[in-house]
Amino acid sequence: MDIVAGIGAVSSALSIAQTLRGIDKSYGDATYKAQLAELIVALADAKLAMAEAKENLASKDKEIERLTLAFSTKSSLVAGEGGYNYLADANGNAIGYPVCPKCEQVYGRIMQTKEHEHSGKARCPACSDIYSPVICYLPQGTGYVTKQDKETAEWNASMSRANSASYY
Ligand SMILES: [Zn+2]
């Protein structure tokens, strides 16, 4: 039952109440009681419609809140490698994996993807789309701009350790 049906129920309750007021005593108890029963049904319908309308409003408020948040987050996104948008740290630098382009464009929600299988591949936790290759930006102060830089450096370090070890 929607708000229009609720208004309809209130209208019929009103007209029944008017009928009741105008009822001649000569109609007798039976007519009076039947009208009263109709009145109660109409009021119950109206109450139900109001309760549902209240729920609908609450869920719309939530949706507005979500969209407002997504909108303000969207304005702080920064463009990064591969044409992806990224969340930004306090200094406006891209951080972590990109936000899911599908969720952003189709659903208007800002959803940061997570690493999937290896560091160059990310998956959206909401729509499950997979993006590859992607860059993961590390927080400043870690010594590396991206997770991939860090992995390459670590790989090279372990290779040179392995190479120098083979001399012995
Ligand atoms: Zn997504």
Side-chain angles (χ1 to χ4, degrees):
M1 181 175 279
D2 61 10
I3 196 77
V4 176
I7 291 169
V10 170
S11 300
S12 36
L14 276 173
S15 85
I16 295 164
Q18 274 160 354
T19 310
L20 279 174
R21 192 172 60 183
I23 255 176
D24 198 306
K25 281 285 174 201
S26 62
Y27 272 115
D29 268 3
T31 312
Y32 192 84
K33 277 181 181 157
Q35 286 289 307
L36 205 56
E38 270 184 51
L39 178 63
I40 288 165
V41 168
L43 286 173
D45 282 352
K47 186 182 171 187
L48 190 69
M50 293 300 158
E52 279 175 22
K54 186 184 162 197
E55 248 171 58
N56 284 341
L57 279 178
S59 76
K60 282 191 167 63
D61 279 351
K62 261 196 161 166
E63 182 67 358
I64 289 170
E65 196 181 307
R66 188 188 71 75
L67 288 170
T68 307
L69 183 69
F71 192 75
S72 71
T73 311
K74 190 180 166 71
S75 67
S76 62
L77 294 178
V78 291
E81 206 68 41
Y84 292 109
N85 283 331
Y86 286 80
L87 298 178
D89 65 12
N91 299 317
N93 296 305
I95 185 123
Y97 279 96
V99 300
C100 173
K102 181 183 171 189
C103 282
E104 188 187 345
Q105 283 154 27
V106 180
Y107 307 112
R109 66 184 171 210
I110 307 299
M111 194 59 64
Q112 187 174 32
T113 57
K114 304 272 178 249
E115 182 172 317
H116 182 66
E117 293 169 351
H118 58 82
S119 67
K121 200 170 176 185
R123 181 174 175 271
C124 174
C127 72
S128 300
D129 269 16
I130 289 170
Y131 302 97
S132 177
V134 288
I135 295 291
C136 173
Y137 291 97
L138 293 174
Q140 282 188 309
T142 52
Y144 301 99
V145 176
T146 70
K147 188 167 187 179
Q148 288 74 15
D149 290 345
K150 185 170 183 264
E151 285 177 351
T152 305
E154 284 168 356
W155 171 254
N156 289 338
S158 73
M159 281 294 104
S160 76
R161 267 199 306 277
N163 286 338
S164 55
S166 67
Y167 289 118
Y168 298 101

